[in-house]
Amino acid sequence: MTAALALDGVTKRFGDTTAITDVSLALGQGEFVALLGASGCGKSTTLRILAGLDRPSEGQVLMQGRCVTRDSAAARNIALMFQSYALYPHLSVYQNIAMPLRLRHLSVAGRLPGAARFSGAVRRTREDIDAQVRRVAAMLRLEPLLARKPGQLSGGQQQRVALARALVRKPAAFLLDEPLSNLDTQLRADTRDELRALHRDTGHAFLIVTHDQSDALSMADRVAVMIAGRIEQIATPQQLFHTPATRAVAEFIGHHRMNILPQGPAAALHPAGKGLDLGVRPEDLRLQADGPLQAVVRSRAFHGEETILSLQDDRGTALRMVLRGGSALPLPGDSVRLTAPPEALHGFDACGLRQQVLS
Amino acid sequence: MIRAALTDLLLVGPAALAVVLFIFLPVGVVFGLAFTDYQVGAAQAEWVGGANFAQLFGSRLGRNALLNTLTYAAIVIPGSVGLGLLVALGLHGMATRLPRLSALLRAVYFLPVAATLVAMAVSWQMLLHPSLGLANTWLQALNLPGQQWLSDRGLVLYTLAGIGIWQSTGYNMVLFLAGLAAIPSTLYDAAAVDGADRGWTRFWSVTWPMLGPTTLFVMIVTAASAFRVFETVATMTAGGPAFASDTIVYALYREGFVYFKAGYAAAITVVFFLALLALTALQMLLVERRVHYR
């Protein structure tokens, strides 16, 4: 299958600094991909190159297998929803949504007020635009707001207007820059469901850029993890979580940062630890009276449904573990013994690449 | 309660008193004088009703000054606002590629604003001198006839308007530059994605509407200064030749401070004041609600 939108070996330099290095990424027809990375890792640059707002220094941008590297943003017909929404403040909600269609389908003369009175073609185009604007507005429940100006809307309403403006012209691909970052927790959860539903209903290819891994893991079919300008791994959320390809991904993904036991001392936990660094998620560590790992509790933090222990093992490595439930929690200063099931261990070689740990 | 009231009075009182004494009271006196034939230094004055206003609007000289001022403003307002915007757009676009040159040109365009207009008028007089001036030398180099810039009755007002544009363009440019810098770049990105990625479409769909508040402010400021034109007239032409460059404020100065006809000068002041007030109010009412997007 030809990808709806793809980057092939793209590098972007600004002066002496390299923002992204050798990025290849394919967005299949109707696929939902998330580009996940910490702020400043180059994900916005990647998005701007995909949209056609910036040109890559090296590499190519492909749409349906055709090279569009030199094409303008408008020529690519890619919709982009901005983090700040970037609505036109002087136009009503209706006019904001209609803008991409007016610019695309009406000439300068056709956009003049009253032009429909003189030309049948302009009138038909305008009726067509009107129908599409109302269809999208209905889909996003914006009908009661069509006459308002963006300044009179709440953040969530502005977000839906921005979505509507991006969706109205049946784009070849749909890019969203941090679509949820300006919303409060409740609205965030609702909007996640809504975006999923929108993706299902429209069938467009979606690419969402986010720094929030729960957004990425919960919504996307595939997640591309970007660290320091490079794509470290592209995989399904499950693969990413259970079999991270590199140590950097392993430490990045997960609500609690993964513990890494250095090669050597790690052998206490598993024989593979003689030659590999071993990672174990804080949720996978268990308290066990005869466990192979000895550690001292440094501090304890209660988080409602879970309690997080900070520990230090006898070789000085800082560890973290998550305990659920309130049964007999150790106190700071207590000495405890820990274990982890072999299938929960992640082995990484000296280059940080994943190696098999036999259980 | 009474203490608080006294404190308020003590804080507001002196400033309020000064404003009343030195602004409201004189304005009241001027409004009163406008209906008399008072002359500076005279022991008494007669109440003449609307005679002063009748003279301003009825006499050839009064109407001439009004018409000249309107003509001057009609040239200077669009001229310096348009030119200011054009220069600002150019320098703003240049700022990313040639930042040094852009900053230098910005200073150059702003010089006329910072310079004393009376001093500048002397240099203009030199430039526009019929036989020695640079302007005519260039015209001759192009095989065009030289002009009597300041002594041709048909030309003098346009010459002054040109100098007025030269003088206020820099100020308007600075205001427009500030307005341009305040436009969020994501709006241009959004327009580029929507299909307005260059030239006029981009200008009309983002730049011009976003500059609305700036443009309104620039228009009001320019209008106010254009209607007040005085220094260039006083130093370069003294309203001449044959009142061809007579303007309201210059007429006001002549009647009040040369002929000492305080009553008539007061009437001109009143008309001028009301006209400026009405103009500003009109611009605010008509344009404001279409500019601020709330």
Side-chain angles (χ1 to χ4, degrees), chain A residues 179-225:
Chain A
L180 306 171
S181 64
N182 293 340
L183 306 176
D184 59 44
T185 322
Q186 180 57 47
L187 203 52
R188 230 181 142 95
D190 295 347
T191 311
R192 271 186 203 163
D193 297 343
E194 199 164 354
L195 282 178
R196 283 283 339 170
L198 216 52
H199 172 248
R200 212 172 38 238
D201 296 346
T202 59
H204 297 316
F206 271 45
L207 180 87
I208 174 174
V209 163
T210 179
H211 66 273
D212 185 312
Q213 48 176 303
S214 31
D215 286 349
L217 297 176
S218 65
M219 284 194 289
D221 302 326
R222 286 194 306 148
V223 178
V225 180

mmCIF file of all heavy atoms in Angstrom, chain A residues 179-225:
data_model
loop_
_atom_site.group_PDB
_atom_site.id
_atom_site.type_symbol
_atom_site.label_atom_id
_atom_site.label_comp_id
_atom_site.label_asym_id
_atom_site.label_seq_id
_atom_site.Cartn_x
_atom_site.Cartn_y
_atom_site.Cartn_z
ATOM 1 N N PRO A 179 -3.094 18.680 19.892
ATOM 2 C CA PRO A 179 -4.491 19.118 19.883
ATOM 3 C C PRO A 179 -5.120 19.176 21.271
ATOM 4 O O PRO A 179 -6.123 19.837 21.462
ATOM 5 C CB PRO A 179 -5.189 18.066 19.024
ATOM 6 C CG PRO A 179 -4.338 16.868 19.137
ATOM 7 C CD PRO A 179 -2.932 17.367 19.272
ATOM 8 N N LEU A 180 -4.549 18.484 22.247
ATOM 9 C CA LEU A 180 -5.201 18.390 23.546
ATOM 10 C C LEU A 180 -4.514 19.202 24.625
ATOM 11 O O LEU A 180 -4.961 19.244 25.754
ATOM 12 C CB LEU A 180 -5.248 16.916 23.991
ATOM 13 C CG LEU A 180 -5.876 15.959 22.987
ATOM 14 C CD1 LEU A 180 -5.676 14.532 23.428
ATOM 15 C CD2 LEU A 180 -7.344 16.251 22.822
ATOM 16 N N SER A 181 -3.417 19.868 24.268
ATOM 17 C CA SER A 181 -2.589 20.439 25.336
ATOM 18 C C SER A 181 -3.239 21.629 26.014
ATOM 19 O O SER A 181 -2.882 21.965 27.131
ATOM 20 C CB SER A 181 -1.222 20.835 24.790
ATOM 21 O OG SER A 181 -1.375 21.849 23.840
ATOM 22 N N ASN A 182 -4.194 22.294 25.351
ATOM 23 C CA ASN A 182 -4.793 23.467 25.988
ATOM 24 C C ASN A 182 -6.119 23.151 26.685
ATOM 25 O O ASN A 182 -6.852 24.048 27.040
ATOM 26 C CB ASN A 182 -5.041 24.565 24.953
ATOM 27 C CG ASN A 182 -3.748 25.115 24.408
ATOM 28 O OD1 ASN A 182 -2.704 24.963 25.033
ATOM 29 N ND2 ASN A 182 -3.803 25.734 23.259
ATOM 30 N N LEU A 183 -6.416 21.861 26.855
ATOM 31 C CA LEU A 183 -7.717 21.501 27.423
ATOM 32 C C LEU A 183 -7.549 20.946 28.834
ATOM 33 O O LEU A 183 -6.517 20.378 29.170
ATOM 34 C CB LEU A 183 -8.388 20.446 26.548
ATOM 35 C CG LEU A 183 -8.531 20.820 25.070
ATOM 36 C CD1 LEU A 183 -9.123 19.668 24.293
ATOM 37 C CD2 LEU A 183 -9.385 22.058 24.909
ATOM 38 N N ASP A 184 -8.590 21.109 29.661
ATOM 39 C CA ASP A 184 -8.495 20.557 31.012
ATOM 40 C C ASP A 184 -8.758 19.043 30.970
ATOM 41 O O ASP A 184 -9.166 18.480 29.961
ATOM 42 C CB ASP A 184 -9.433 21.286 31.971
ATOM 43 C CG ASP A 184 -10.869 21.197 31.539
ATOM 44 O OD1 ASP A 184 -11.296 20.092 31.152
ATOM 45 O OD2 ASP A 184 -11.561 22.219 31.577
ATOM 46 N N THR A 185 -8.528 18.389 32.109
ATOM 47 C CA THR A 185 -8.489 16.926 32.139
ATOM 48 C C THR A 185 -9.759 16.263 31.595
ATOM 49 O O THR A 185 -9.690 15.348 30.776
ATOM 50 C CB THR A 185 -8.264 16.451 33.588
ATOM 51 O OG1 THR A 185 -7.349 17.349 34.185
ATOM 52 C CG2 THR A 185 -7.715 15.062 33.610
ATOM 53 N N GLN A 186 -10.909 16.746 32.033
ATOM 54 C CA GLN A 186 -12.171 16.125 31.634
ATOM 55 C C GLN A 186 -12.381 16.272 30.128
ATOM 56 O O GLN A 186 -12.670 15.307 29.419
ATOM 57 C CB GLN A 186 -13.326 16.785 32.415
ATOM 58 C CG GLN A 186 -14.688 16.223 32.088
ATOM 59 C CD GLN A 186 -14.740 14.711 32.327
ATOM 60 O OE1 GLN A 186 -14.289 14.224 33.367
ATOM 61 N NE2 GLN A 186 -15.260 13.951 31.373
ATOM 62 N N LEU A 187 -12.178 17.502 29.646
ATOM 63 C CA LEU A 187 -12.378 17.797 28.236
ATOM 64 C C LEU A 187 -11.385 16.991 27.390
ATOM 65 O O LEU A 187 -11.690 16.550 26.290
ATOM 66 C CB LEU A 187 -12.158 19.300 28.022
ATOM 67 C CG LEU A 187 -12.804 19.918 26.797
ATOM 68 C CD1 LEU A 187 -14.269 19.569 26.771
ATOM 69 C CD2 LEU A 187 -12.635 21.422 26.848
ATOM 70 N N ARG A 188 -10.199 16.792 27.941
ATOM 71 C CA ARG A 188 -9.151 16.034 27.271
ATOM 72 C C ARG A 188 -9.603 14.615 26.983
ATOM 73 O O ARG A 188 -9.470 14.117 25.870
ATOM 74 C CB ARG A 188 -7.964 15.967 28.220
ATOM 75 C CG ARG A 188 -6.671 16.347 27.656
ATOM 76 C CD ARG A 188 -5.659 16.190 28.769
ATOM 77 N NE ARG A 188 -4.464 15.671 28.171
ATOM 78 C CZ ARG A 188 -3.463 16.452 27.782
ATOM 79 N NH1 ARG A 188 -3.531 17.732 27.959
ATOM 80 N NH2 ARG A 188 -2.417 15.930 27.212
ATOM 81 N N ALA A 189 -10.161 13.979 28.011
ATOM 82 C CA ALA A 189 -10.629 12.607 27.849
ATOM 83 C C ALA A 189 -11.746 12.541 26.803
ATOM 84 O O ALA A 189 -11.747 11.676 25.925
ATOM 85 C CB ALA A 189 -11.109 12.073 29.191
ATOM 86 N N ASP A 190 -12.691 13.484 26.884
ATOM 87 C CA ASP A 190 -13.793 13.507 25.918
ATOM 88 C C ASP A 190 -13.258 13.712 24.501
ATOM 89 O O ASP A 190 -13.713 13.075 23.553
ATOM 90 C CB ASP A 190 -14.773 14.639 26.244
ATOM 91 C CG ASP A 190 -15.460 14.411 27.582
ATOM 92 O OD1 ASP A 190 -15.342 13.277 28.097
ATOM 93 O OD2 ASP A 190 -16.093 15.347 28.087
ATOM 94 N N THR A 191 -12.295 14.639 24.386
ATOM 95 C CA THR A 191 -11.791 14.970 23.060
ATOM 96 C C THR A 191 -11.012 13.803 22.451
ATOM 97 O O THR A 191 -11.053 13.605 21.240
ATOM 98 C CB THR A 191 -10.912 16.221 23.124
ATOM 99 O OG1 THR A 191 -11.617 17.214 23.849
ATOM 100 C CG2 THR A 191 -10.610 16.738 21.742
ATOM 101 N N ARG A 192 -10.316 13.044 23.299
ATOM 102 C CA ARG A 192 -9.638 11.844 22.796
ATOM 103 C C ARG A 192 -10.626 10.921 22.110
ATOM 104 O O ARG A 192 -10.420 10.488 20.975
ATOM 105 C CB ARG A 192 -9.007 11.080 23.958
ATOM 106 C CG ARG A 192 -7.622 11.500 24.285
ATOM 107 C CD ARG A 192 -7.090 10.565 25.350
ATOM 108 N NE ARG A 192 -6.022 11.180 26.106
ATOM 109 C CZ ARG A 192 -5.596 10.744 27.281
ATOM 110 N NH1 ARG A 192 -6.183 9.711 27.849
ATOM 111 N NH2 ARG A 192 -4.616 11.342 27.890
ATOM 112 N N ASP A 193 -11.744 10.650 22.810
ATOM 113 C CA ASP A 193 -12.774 9.778 22.226
ATOM 114 C C ASP A 193 -13.301 10.387 20.934
ATOM 115 O O ASP A 193 -13.500 9.701 19.933
ATOM 116 C CB ASP A 193 -13.931 9.603 23.214
ATOM 117 C CG ASP A 193 -13.470 8.912 24.488
ATOM 118 O OD1 ASP A 193 -12.374 8.308 24.450
ATOM 119 O OD2 ASP A 193 -14.181 8.985 25.494
ATOM 120 N N GLU A 194 -13.499 11.715 20.978
ATOM 121 C CA GLU A 194 -14.077 12.390 19.816
ATOM 122 C C GLU A 194 -13.136 12.302 18.616
ATOM 123 O O GLU A 194 -13.573 12.075 17.486
ATOM 124 C CB GLU A 194 -14.342 13.845 20.189
ATOM 125 C CG GLU A 194 -15.312 14.505 19.268
ATOM 126 C CD GLU A 194 -15.853 15.795 19.861
ATOM 127 O OE1 GLU A 194 -15.551 16.110 21.019
ATOM 128 O OE2 GLU A 194 -16.569 16.484 19.142
ATOM 129 N N LEU A 195 -11.832 12.480 18.874
ATOM 130 C CA LEU A 195 -10.857 12.395 17.780
ATOM 131 C C LEU A 195 -10.824 10.994 17.187
ATOM 132 O O LEU A 195 -10.763 10.822 15.967
ATOM 133 C CB LEU A 195 -9.462 12.786 18.284
ATOM 134 C CG LEU A 195 -9.197 14.281 18.446
ATOM 135 C CD1 LEU A 195 -7.803 14.511 18.997
ATOM 136 C CD2 LEU A 195 -9.360 15.000 17.120
ATOM 137 N N ARG A 196 -10.876 9.992 18.053
ATOM 138 C CA ARG A 196 -10.915 8.591 17.576
ATOM 139 C C ARG A 196 -12.126 8.399 16.675
ATOM 140 O O ARG A 196 -12.046 7.836 15.592
ATOM 141 C CB ARG A 196 -11.002 7.605 18.744
ATOM 142 C CG ARG A 196 -9.756 7.336 19.509
ATOM 143 C CD ARG A 196 -8.740 6.438 18.912
ATOM 144 N NE ARG A 196 -9.142 5.513 17.869
ATOM 145 C CZ ARG A 196 -8.281 4.822 17.148
ATOM 146 N NH1 ARG A 196 -6.986 4.939 17.368
ATOM 147 N NH2 ARG A 196 -8.676 4.007 16.216
ATOM 148 N N ALA A 197 -13.281 8.892 17.172
ATOM 149 C CA ALA A 197 -14.524 8.724 16.419
ATOM 150 C C ALA A 197 -14.442 9.463 15.078
ATOM 151 O O ALA A 197 -14.859 8.951 14.034
ATOM 152 C CB ALA A 197 -15.701 9.246 17.237
ATOM 153 N N LEU A 198 -13.844 10.654 15.129
ATOM 154 C CA LEU A 198 -13.707 11.470 13.923
ATOM 155 C C LEU A 198 -12.835 10.747 12.901
ATOM 156 O O LEU A 198 -13.119 10.742 11.701
ATOM 157 C CB LEU A 198 -13.047 12.795 14.323
ATOM 158 C CG LEU A 198 -13.496 14.051 13.618
ATOM 159 C CD1 LEU A 198 -15.000 14.171 13.669
ATOM 160 C CD2 LEU A 198 -12.851 15.246 14.293
ATOM 161 N N HIS A 199 -11.780 10.128 13.406
ATOM 162 C CA HIS A 199 -10.885 9.385 12.535
ATOM 163 C C HIS A 199 -11.621 8.224 11.888
ATOM 164 O O HIS A 199 -11.514 7.970 10.692
ATOM 165 C CB HIS A 199 -9.684 8.873 13.335
ATOM 166 C CG HIS A 199 -8.811 7.949 12.567
ATOM 167 N ND1 HIS A 199 -8.694 6.609 12.862
ATOM 168 C CD2 HIS A 199 -8.037 8.169 11.484
ATOM 169 C CE1 HIS A 199 -7.885 6.055 11.990
ATOM 170 N NE2 HIS A 199 -7.466 6.968 11.152
ATOM 171 N N ARG A 200 -12.426 7.514 12.682
ATOM 172 C CA ARG A 200 -13.184 6.375 12.175
ATOM 173 C C ARG A 200 -14.182 6.843 11.120
ATOM 174 O O ARG A 200 -14.306 6.270 10.047
ATOM 175 C CB ARG A 200 -13.916 5.706 13.342
ATOM 176 C CG ARG A 200 -14.084 4.212 13.199
ATOM 177 C CD ARG A 200 -14.646 3.587 14.468
ATOM 178 N NE ARG A 200 -15.641 4.414 15.123
ATOM 179 C CZ ARG A 200 -15.531 4.852 16.380
ATOM 180 N NH1 ARG A 200 -14.479 4.535 17.098
ATOM 181 N NH2 ARG A 200 -16.473 5.606 16.921
ATOM 182 N N ASP A 201 -14.900 7.949 11.428
ATOM 183 C CA ASP A 201 -15.970 8.395 10.539
ATOM 184 C C ASP A 201 -15.443 8.971 9.231
ATOM 185 O O ASP A 201 -16.032 8.776 8.174
ATOM 186 C CB ASP A 201 -16.823 9.462 11.240
ATOM 187 C CG ASP A 201 -17.530 8.870 12.456
ATOM 188 O OD1 ASP A 201 -17.555 7.631 12.561
ATOM 189 O OD2 ASP A 201 -18.027 9.653 13.280
ATOM 190 N N THR A 202 -14.340 9.736 9.303
ATOM 191 C CA THR A 202 -13.873 10.395 8.085
ATOM 192 C C THR A 202 -12.958 9.500 7.256
ATOM 193 O O THR A 202 -12.878 9.654 6.051
ATOM 194 C CB THR A 202 -13.091 11.675 8.413
ATOM 195 O OG1 THR A 202 -11.977 11.324 9.235
ATOM 196 C CG2 THR A 202 -13.949 12.675 9.155
ATOM 197 N N GLY A 203 -12.249 8.574 7.919
ATOM 198 C CA GLY A 203 -11.360 7.694 7.188
ATOM 199 C C GLY A 203 -10.104 8.372 6.665
ATOM 200 O O GLY A 203 -9.354 7.787 5.888
ATOM 201 N N HIS A 204 -9.834 9.633 7.093
ATOM 202 C CA HIS A 204 -8.608 10.291 6.683
ATOM 203 C C HIS A 204 -7.422 9.681 7.419
ATOM 204 O O HIS A 204 -7.584 9.078 8.471
ATOM 205 C CB HIS A 204 -8.635 11.777 7.037
ATOM 206 C CG HIS A 204 -9.690 12.541 6.338
ATOM 207 N ND1 HIS A 204 -9.961 12.375 5.004
ATOM 208 C CD2 HIS A 204 -10.557 13.486 6.772
ATOM 209 C CE1 HIS A 204 -10.935 13.185 4.664
ATOM 210 N NE2 HIS A 204 -11.325 13.862 5.722
ATOM 211 N N ALA A 205 -6.219 9.893 6.863
ATOM 212 C CA ALA A 205 -4.999 9.550 7.590
ATOM 213 C C ALA A 205 -4.758 10.645 8.626
ATOM 214 O O ALA A 205 -4.781 11.823 8.295
ATOM 215 C CB ALA A 205 -3.833 9.462 6.624
ATOM 216 N N PHE A 206 -4.560 10.237 9.882
ATOM 217 C CA PHE A 206 -4.345 11.202 10.968
ATOM 218 C C PHE A 206 -2.917 11.094 11.461
ATOM 219 O O PHE A 206 -2.417 9.996 11.670
ATOM 220 C CB PHE A 206 -5.261 10.890 12.163
ATOM 221 C CG PHE A 206 -6.607 11.559 12.117
ATOM 222 C CD1 PHE A 206 -7.344 11.580 10.956
ATOM 223 C CD2 PHE A 206 -7.130 12.145 13.256
ATOM 224 C CE1 PHE A 206 -8.599 12.174 10.908
ATOM 225 C CE2 PHE A 206 -8.383 12.741 13.228
ATOM 226 C CZ PHE A 206 -9.120 12.761 12.070
ATOM 227 N N LEU A 207 -2.272 12.242 11.675
ATOM 228 C CA LEU A 207 -0.986 12.241 12.377
ATOM 229 C C LEU A 207 -1.096 13.254 13.511
ATOM 230 O O LEU A 207 -1.364 14.429 13.287
ATOM 231 C CB LEU A 207 0.169 12.638 11.464
ATOM 232 C CG LEU A 207 1.491 12.639 12.213
ATOM 233 C CD1 LEU A 207 2.131 11.266 12.199
ATOM 234 C CD2 LEU A 207 2.457 13.650 11.654
ATOM 235 N N ILE A 208 -0.931 12.757 14.724
ATOM 236 C CA ILE A 208 -1.056 13.644 15.864
ATOM 237 C C ILE A 208 0.318 13.793 16.499
ATOM 238 O O ILE A 208 1.050 12.824 16.654
ATOM 239 C CB ILE A 208 -2.114 13.102 16.835
ATOM 240 C CG1 ILE A 208 -2.172 13.923 18.103
ATOM 241 C CG2 ILE A 208 -1.860 11.666 17.214
ATOM 242 C CD1 ILE A 208 -3.312 13.475 18.986
ATOM 243 N N VAL A 209 0.679 15.045 16.782
ATOM 244 C CA VAL A 209 1.965 15.313 17.432
ATOM 245 C C VAL A 209 1.687 15.615 18.886
ATOM 246 O O VAL A 209 0.820 16.434 19.192
ATOM 247 C CB VAL A 209 2.649 16.518 16.765
ATOM 248 C CG1 VAL A 209 3.733 17.067 17.654
ATOM 249 C CG2 VAL A 209 3.231 16.111 15.439
ATOM 250 N N THR A 210 2.369 14.950 19.782
ATOM 251 C CA THR A 210 2.083 15.179 21.191
ATOM 252 C C THR A 210 3.304 14.882 22.045
ATOM 253 O O THR A 210 4.186 14.127 21.653
ATOM 254 C CB THR A 210 0.887 14.323 21.651
ATOM 255 O OG1 THR A 210 0.670 14.554 23.033
ATOM 256 C CG2 THR A 210 1.139 12.848 21.429
ATOM 257 N N HIS A 211 3.344 15.516 23.227
ATOM 258 C CA HIS A 211 4.400 15.201 24.180
ATOM 259 C C HIS A 211 3.840 14.283 25.268
ATOM 260 O O HIS A 211 4.544 13.853 26.148
ATOM 261 C CB HIS A 211 4.934 16.482 24.822
ATOM 262 C CG HIS A 211 3.912 17.168 25.680
ATOM 263 N ND1 HIS A 211 3.010 18.062 25.177
ATOM 264 C CD2 HIS A 211 3.630 17.045 26.990
ATOM 265 C CE1 HIS A 211 2.217 18.467 26.146
ATOM 266 N NE2 HIS A 211 2.559 17.870 27.261
ATOM 267 N N ASP A 212 2.516 14.023 25.185
ATOM 268 C CA ASP A 212 1.837 13.281 26.248
ATOM 269 C C ASP A 212 1.666 11.835 25.817
ATOM 270 O O ASP A 212 0.930 11.530 24.885
ATOM 271 C CB ASP A 212 0.474 13.938 26.486
ATOM 272 C CG ASP A 212 -0.245 13.318 27.660
ATOM 273 O OD1 ASP A 212 -0.319 12.069 27.733
ATOM 274 O OD2 ASP A 212 -0.741 14.068 28.502
ATOM 275 N N GLN A 213 2.372 10.915 26.501
ATOM 276 C CA GLN A 213 2.344 9.533 26.024
ATOM 277 C C GLN A 213 0.985 8.881 26.204
ATOM 278 O O GLN A 213 0.630 8.005 25.421
ATOM 279 C CB GLN A 213 3.431 8.716 26.693
ATOM 280 C CG GLN A 213 3.507 8.881 28.177
ATOM 281 C CD GLN A 213 4.550 7.944 28.736
ATOM 282 O OE1 GLN A 213 4.487 6.748 28.539
ATOM 283 N NE2 GLN A 213 5.534 8.509 29.401
ATOM 284 N N SER A 214 0.197 9.323 27.199
ATOM 285 C CA SER A 214 -1.119 8.679 27.300
ATOM 286 C C SER A 214 -2.008 9.068 26.136
ATOM 287 O O SER A 214 -2.805 8.260 25.659
ATOM 288 C CB SER A 214 -1.777 8.950 28.648
ATOM 289 O OG SER A 214 -1.413 10.190 29.148
ATOM 290 N N ASP A 215 -1.872 10.316 25.632
ATOM 291 C CA ASP A 215 -2.597 10.683 24.407
ATOM 292 C C ASP A 215 -2.170 9.769 23.258
ATOM 293 O O ASP A 215 -3.006 9.208 22.547
ATOM 294 C CB ASP A 215 -2.280 12.122 24.001
ATOM 295 C CG ASP A 215 -2.967 13.127 24.907
ATOM 296 O OD1 ASP A 215 -3.825 12.706 25.695
ATOM 297 O OD2 ASP A 215 -2.625 14.318 24.813
ATOM 298 N N ALA A 216 -0.859 9.638 23.092
ATOM 299 C CA ALA A 216 -0.340 8.872 21.961
ATOM 300 C C ALA A 216 -0.737 7.399 22.065
ATOM 301 O O ALA A 216 -1.253 6.816 21.116
ATOM 302 C CB ALA A 216 1.185 9.004 21.905
ATOM 303 N N LEU A 217 -0.514 6.804 23.231
ATOM 304 C CA LEU A 217 -0.757 5.367 23.375
ATOM 305 C C LEU A 217 -2.243 5.048 23.286
ATOM 306 O O LEU A 217 -2.632 4.015 22.757
ATOM 307 C CB LEU A 217 -0.192 4.875 24.712
ATOM 308 C CG LEU A 217 1.326 5.015 24.865
ATOM 309 C CD1 LEU A 217 1.757 4.592 26.257
ATOM 310 C CD2 LEU A 217 2.063 4.193 23.820
ATOM 311 N N SER A 218 -3.096 5.948 23.804
ATOM 312 C CA SER A 218 -4.522 5.620 23.844
ATOM 313 C C SER A 218 -5.205 5.846 22.506
ATOM 314 O O SER A 218 -6.209 5.214 22.208
ATOM 315 C CB SER A 218 -5.214 6.446 24.928
ATOM 316 O OG SER A 218 -5.154 7.808 24.596
ATOM 317 N N MET A 219 -4.688 6.745 21.662
ATOM 318 C CA MET A 219 -5.418 7.059 20.433
ATOM 319 C C MET A 219 -4.856 6.397 19.175
ATOM 320 O O MET A 219 -5.609 6.026 18.292
ATOM 321 C CB MET A 219 -5.436 8.573 20.217
ATOM 322 C CG MET A 219 -6.410 9.301 21.114
ATOM 323 S SD MET A 219 -6.678 10.988 20.554
ATOM 324 C CE MET A 219 -5.139 11.743 20.954
ATOM 325 N N ALA A 220 -3.534 6.253 19.115
ATOM 326 C CA ALA A 220 -2.938 5.948 17.817
ATOM 327 C C ALA A 220 -2.878 4.453 17.513
ATOM 328 O O ALA A 220 -2.826 3.616 18.410
ATOM 329 C CB ALA A 220 -1.529 6.532 17.767
ATOM 330 N N ASP A 221 -2.914 4.104 16.203
ATOM 331 C CA ASP A 221 -2.649 2.733 15.768
ATOM 332 C C ASP A 221 -1.171 2.425 15.915
ATOM 333 O O ASP A 221 -0.782 1.333 16.300
ATOM 334 C CB ASP A 221 -3.025 2.563 14.287
ATOM 335 C CG ASP A 221 -4.471 2.905 14.038
ATOM 336 O OD1 ASP A 221 -5.296 2.638 14.925
ATOM 337 O OD2 ASP A 221 -4.774 3.456 12.962
ATOM 338 N N ARG A 222 -0.354 3.420 15.526
ATOM 339 C CA ARG A 222 1.096 3.266 15.655
ATOM 340 C C ARG A 222 1.665 4.531 16.257
ATOM 341 O O ARG A 222 1.150 5.629 16.026
ATOM 342 C CB ARG A 222 1.736 3.024 14.282
ATOM 343 C CG ARG A 222 1.476 1.617 13.736
ATOM 344 C CD ARG A 222 2.390 1.332 12.564
ATOM 345 N NE ARG A 222 2.279 2.360 11.531
ATOM 346 C CZ ARG A 222 3.293 2.724 10.750
ATOM 347 N NH1 ARG A 222 4.465 2.141 10.873
ATOM 348 N NH2 ARG A 222 3.119 3.636 9.818
ATOM 349 N N VAL A 223 2.749 4.392 17.006
ATOM 350 C CA VAL A 223 3.373 5.538 17.643
ATOM 351 C C VAL A 223 4.826 5.624 17.187
ATOM 352 O O VAL A 223 5.531 4.614 17.184
ATOM 353 C CB VAL A 223 3.321 5.424 19.182
ATOM 354 C CG1 VAL A 223 4.027 6.610 19.831
ATOM 355 C CG2 VAL A 223 1.886 5.331 19.663
ATOM 356 N N ALA A 224 5.235 6.813 16.764
ATOM 357 C CA ALA A 224 6.643 7.040 16.442
ATOM 358 C C ALA A 224 7.248 7.833 17.591
ATOM 359 O O ALA A 224 6.783 8.922 17.905
ATOM 360 C CB ALA A 224 6.770 7.820 15.142
ATOM 361 N N VAL A 225 8.261 7.258 18.219
ATOM 362 C CA VAL A 225 8.902 7.949 19.340
ATOM 363 C C VAL A 225 10.105 8.714 18.821
ATOM 364 O O VAL A 225 10.984 8.138 18.182
ATOM 365 C CB VAL A 225 9.340 6.958 20.430
ATOM 366 C CG1 VAL A 225 9.997 7.714 21.582
ATOM 367 C CG2 VAL A 225 8.156 6.171 20.931
#
